[in-house]
Amino acid sequence: MTPDDAEALKMMVQSRSGVLVNADNTYQIESRLGPIARREGKASVDELIAAIRSNRDERLMWAVTEAMVNTESWFFRDSEPFDRLRKDILPRLAAARSRPIRIWSASCAGGQEAYSLAMAVAEERPSLGDARIELFGSDISEACIHKAQSGLYNPFEAQRGLPIRMLLRYFEKQDEMWKARSDLAGALRWRRINLLSDLTPLGTMDVIFCRNTVNAFDRSSRRRVLEQFRGLLVEDGYLFLGLDEGADDIEGFYPAAGLPGVYTRTPDRQVEAA
Amino acid sequence: MIRTCLVVDDSRVIRKVAGRIIEDMGYEVAEAGDGMEALAWCRAAMPDAILLDWNMPVMNGIEFLKALRAEPEGKTPNVVFCSVENDPARIAEALDAGADEYIMKPFDGEIILSKLSMVGAAR
């Protein structure tokens, strides 16, 4: 790949998704774009990039963008954020709400995070009374949303992070795959969303999970996304970022006590340390 | 203190592959080729964790686990089954027999780390 092509790829992805591509990581570029090149009948990734640069085919540019965005995910990643949501935040919100509690997995990749949230809700359900809970999963990648909607996971995916008893309780075996049971899948709504777009039509949220995502953005995209989250979160809502991600530089977010990467909208309603 | 893990499998290859992954997690690893051999290991020095195959000669994983759980009170290791058996009813049978977690073969390092973490056995 020529330096010009690498730069064109980088700009293409960044302008559409806000995600910074490491143009020096040719292995990653080849492995992610190789399947698209083959599908499009191109002899190589170089030929694919060259064709896009000359045709400006919007469909293909989006396919490349989606492929370059990191979609690695697993169930209950880091586990503690989900424990905190389940044991502390959900009961608190349930007691404070007469309207539905709205929880959003904003960058859900193949759906593991959103299903983890749905399982956390289901496990805690006995202590939540008649609280209504709405769960949403979204991702920039159409392919990811299709996978998430299917609720189908291969044995490697199904075992990573998911305790065996929960796998048996919430999934059923379908040939060699594991499929989310209908009551779990039915608790979730899916939508393709680019976090750089105007998010206000989504309405307010009580909890936003957007873990291991914002650090991949360029500086202005990261700020735009976090400021939009701040606008969507209700005053006593919670934002969950990755353990090594932060929103300390965004006015109106306050770090929650005891757990890295969790933020509240008001300092007097922080999560209590466990 | 170094923690110990006993890898029980009649396949030498599986024992080596899994053992290497678990060693990389900081464990001292011992190996046994069947349930009877594993029971002898446990009676001599009870490990902190056991990665346990199901189908083995002499004494299979379920028989071993029942015998282990019937041992006089003392240190009880975390047992993670690791088997090609992937039918939900069979998995439930292993859990009923006293397994703490279950890995469906084939596995990779991420899955072993994930499962050992779940039973509190990962460092």
Side-chain angles (χ1 to χ4, degrees), chain A:
Chain A
M1 185 176 293
T2 67
D4 268 5
D5 283 347
E7 188 59 26
L9 171 66
K10 186 177 171 183
M11 293 308 297
M12 187 195 314
V13 175
Q14 190 174 343
S15 64
R16 279 165 180 74
S17 68
V19 170
L20 283 170
V21 170
N22 179 1
D24 295 332
N25 192 343
T26 52
Y27 170 77
Q28 185 186 67
I29 293 170
E30 289 284 342
S31 62
R32 292 189 177 182
L33 300 188
I36 298 177
R38 286 190 289 278
R39 192 182 70 209
E40 296 295 322
K42 307 299 181 195
S44 65
V45 169
D46 290 0
E47 197 176 306
L48 173 73
I49 300 297
I52 290 174
R53 291 187 72 187
S54 64
N55 298 340
R56 309 296 301 168
D57 180 337
E58 192 64 26
R59 177 191 62 85
L60 215 45
M61 286 195 277
W62 266 108
V64 165
T65 300
E66 290 186 15
M68 289 307 301
V69 173
N70 184 22
T71 57
E72 189 187 23
S73 182
W74 58 92
F75 292 100
F76 295 105
R77 185 170 182 174
D78 302 320
S79 73
E80 201 179 337
F82 297 90
D83 291 343
R84 184 63 67 85
L85 175 77
R86 182 186 154 187
K87 293 171 185 165
D88 178 6
I89 295 171
L90 277 178
R92 187 184 306 197
L93 290 175
R97 295 281 185 278
S98 54
R99 60 165 179 79
I101 299 166
R102 306 186 83 225
I103 303 174
W104 179 29
S105 172
S107 180
C108 72
Q112 288 96 327
E113 180 181 87
Y115 282 110
S116 300
L117 293 170
M119 285 185 275
V121 168
E123 292 286 308
E124 198 55 36
R125 177 44 79 182
S127 73
L128 301 178
D130 57 359
R132 290 167 294 158
I133 297 173
E134 296 176 351
L135 290 155
F136 308 90
S138 73
D139 198 88
I140 191 173
S141 163
E142 193 77 46
C144 280
I145 289 300
H146 280 144
K147 179 179 175 59
Q149 275 177 322
S150 78
L152 274 171
Y153 297 94
N154 68 38
F156 286 96
E157 295 166 327
Q159 295 190 87
R160 197 172 174 195
L162 188 55
I164 193 67
R165 288 175 177 81
M166 295 184 87
L167 179 68
L168 296 183
R169 196 177 308 143
Y170 294 107
F171 290 77
E172 54 197 358
K173 195 156 175 282
Q174 210 169 76
D175 299 321
E176 291 309 306
M177 303 288 278
W178 291 82
K179 184 176 173 58
R181 291 184 188 274
S182 56
D183 48 350
L184 185 72
L188 285 153
R189 298 286 174 271
W190 306 99
R191 194 163 150 192
R192 178 175 178 268
I193 292 174
N194 184 345
L195 297 178
L196 294 185
S197 65
D198 177 14
L199 301 177
T200 48
L202 297 176
T204 57
M205 295 290 167
D206 296 290
V207 177
I208 298 174
F209 267 63
C210 187
R211 308 194 65 241
N212 309 293
T213 299
V214 297
N215 277 2
F217 288 137
D218 63 63
R219 185 179 295 189
S220 68
S221 299
R222 174 186 166 278
R223 173 166 285 278
R224 173 175 167 76
V225 169
L226 289 173
E227 287 179 346
Q228 290 215 83
F229 287 164
R230 184 190 57 200
L232 296 183
L233 264 185
V234 295
E235 283 297 308
D236 55 349
Y238 298 90
L239 170 67
F240 284 75
L241 302 175
L243 296 182
D244 61 348
E245 293 174 325
D248 302 79
D249 56 323
I250 307 296
E251 193 182 339
F253 272 134
Y254 302 90
L259 189 59
V262 184
Y263 288 81
T264 64
R265 289 287 321 279
T266 47
D268 57 336
R269 292 187 181 169
Q270 290 181 2
V271 181
E272 297 299 325

Side-chain angles (χ1 to χ4, degrees), chain A residues 156 160, chain B residues 17 21-22 25 107-115:
Chain A
F156 286 96
R160 197 172 174 195
Chain B
V17 170
I21 292 168
I22 295 168
M25 294 175 192
F107 56 80
D108 61 15
E110 296 290 355
I111 291 174
I112 290 186
L113 176 59
S114 172
K115 295 291 183 175

